[in-house]
Amino acid sequence: MTVIFPAIDIQDKRSVRLYKGDFDKEIVINYSPVAQAEDYEHAGIKALHVVDLDGAKAGKPVSFDIIIGIRRVFSGIIEVGGGIRDEETIKAYLNAGIDRIILGSVALKNAEFTKQMLATYGAERIVIGVDGADGKVATEGWLEKSDVDMSHLIREMIAAGAKHFIVTDINRDGTMAGVNQELLFELHDQFPEARIIASGGIRNAGDIVALRKKGIVDCIVGKALYEGPLALADIVALEKSELAGELIEPSPYYTRTVHEETDSQDVPNLAISAVAAK
């Protein structure tokens, strides 16, 4: 089943799009990420990709309170990344109803911790973010480049039980230049047991269909939604065109309805620290 994740990237409490991951080259999409998520809910969107950009830079959650606000108004699948470096944060997000946790920088810098989290929570809850350029992994909100091949990181995490990999070519992200098909198809062919999630550069419905024909059925869309070539109705139609396949199950840690309040006892310290960090 095709899963298309509209992206909500949060910086300074706003929803923004960056150009090639440059924090200084932003376009404000919505001054209220929560209102944006509510619009997606009404449009029939089934999944969201949410990134705490400030958290990615800080190495700890900064936009936690906003993300919990998104959870309250959006009933579909939510995956969250940015600044997640310890199990306390993972537990806090899962207890608050977030379905999938994206581990990116920590997967490279602390592989043993990442493997432990995969063993504890499973491959349907822990997603590996593989961001980079020229086939090499980038970390810390794309501010640091490494000499590690994307394929090496994916191979190591598959051996630890990982299944879902968000692969982003940062040179394509926010450019509307099309995805890096060569990279994505090579990784898909190299690791058929993995579920590669395409990210960076998707322009329109045609790009999504082209990926699907090659076996890459999941993707993340951003700028194309805000510049007009791709509409929310296109996403809904593309997902409805899939008649069978796996579904992502809702988080077992939380039963929710839209607008349900989160129990403040679940995550009090993290919520307070997130507000204080702003």
Side-chain angles (χ1 to χ4, degrees):
M1 177 181 179
T2 296
V3 181
I4 303 169
F5 297 83
I8 298 180
D9 295 346
I10 303 169
Q11 182 165 253
D12 296 330
K13 301 182 181 181
R14 307 160 303 162
S15 171
V16 305
R17 295 304 301 161
L18 305 181
Y19 180 77
K20 294 186 177 181
D22 189 333
F23 287 90
D24 294 324
K25 295 180 179 179
E26 68 166 31
I27 298 173
V28 177
I29 303 303
N30 197 311
Y31 285 95
S32 172
V34 174
Q36 183 181 0
E38 193 164 19
D39 289 342
Y40 290 161
E41 172 74 18
H42 295 323
I45 297 301
K46 302 302 183 185
L48 290 180
H49 172 83
V50 180
V51 177
D52 180 355
L53 292 174
D54 295 310
K57 289 185 291 184
K60 60 183 180 181
V62 174
S63 304
F64 183 86
D65 53 329
I66 296 174
I67 292 170
I68 299 312
I70 290 172
R71 173 73 286 170
R72 289 172 181 158
V73 302
F74 186 78
S75 62
I77 299 299
I78 299 179
E79 60 180 24
V80 170
I84 302 174
R85 305 284 192 272
D86 54 53
E87 188 172 7
E88 178 186 3
T89 304
I90 292 171
K91 286 181 177 179
Y93 275 126
L94 290 175
N95 286 339
I98 299 305
D99 299 283
R100 309 205 310 191
I101 306 300
I102 304 165
L103 298 182
S105 298
V106 72
L108 179 65
K109 295 192 170 185
N110 193 344
E112 290 309 310
F113 168 77
T114 305
K115 293 173 184 178
Q116 182 182 353
M117 293 304 97
L118 281 163
T120 300
Y121 299 103
E124 293 304 322
R125 301 297 162 209
I126 303 297
V127 178
I128 307 301
V130 185
D131 308 331
D134 302 318
K136 303 293 184 180
V137 179
T139 63
E140 307 305 327
W142 304 349
L143 297 174
E144 297 181 10
K145 307 297 188 296
S146 78
D147 294 324
V148 177
D149 289 338
M150 290 180 166
S151 59
H152 175 83
L153 179 60
I154 293 173
R155 183 179 297 107
E156 183 177 8
M157 290 298 114
I158 287 176
K163 176 182 178 182
H164 300 278
F165 295 87
I166 299 171
V167 177
T168 305
D169 183 338
I170 62 178
N171 287 330
R172 301 294 183 103
D173 193 69
T175 65
M176 294 285 290
V179 297
N180 186 336
Q181 291 190 353
E182 181 180 358
L183 171 67
L184 292 168
F185 296 161
E186 179 181 337
L187 292 174
H188 176 70
D189 291 341
Q190 189 175 357
F191 303 106
E193 68 273 42
R195 187 137 175 169
I196 301 295
I197 304 166
S199 174
I202 289 177
R203 299 165 293 187
N204 49 43
D207 283 346
I208 297 172
V209 171
L211 288 168
R212 189 163 67 182
K213 287 180 177 178
K214 291 289 188 177
I216 298 177
V217 297
D218 300 342
C219 64
I220 295 166
V221 296
K223 195 172 184 179
L225 274 175
Y226 315 119
E227 293 200 348
L230 187 68
L232 293 175
D234 294 327
I235 294 176
V236 174
L238 283 164
E239 291 184 332
K240 285 184 177 179
S241 71
E242 290 289 325
L243 300 179
E246 293 182 354
L247 293 173
I248 304 169
E249 295 296 330
S251 172
Y253 300 90
Y254 184 81
T255 302
R256 61 176 178 272
T257 57
V258 178
H259 301 298
E260 180 179 356
E261 293 295 324
T262 302
D263 186 347
S264 62
Q265 293 182 351
D266 288 341
V267 288
N269 295 331
L270 189 57
I272 291 171
S273 64
V275 173
K278 291 182 178 297

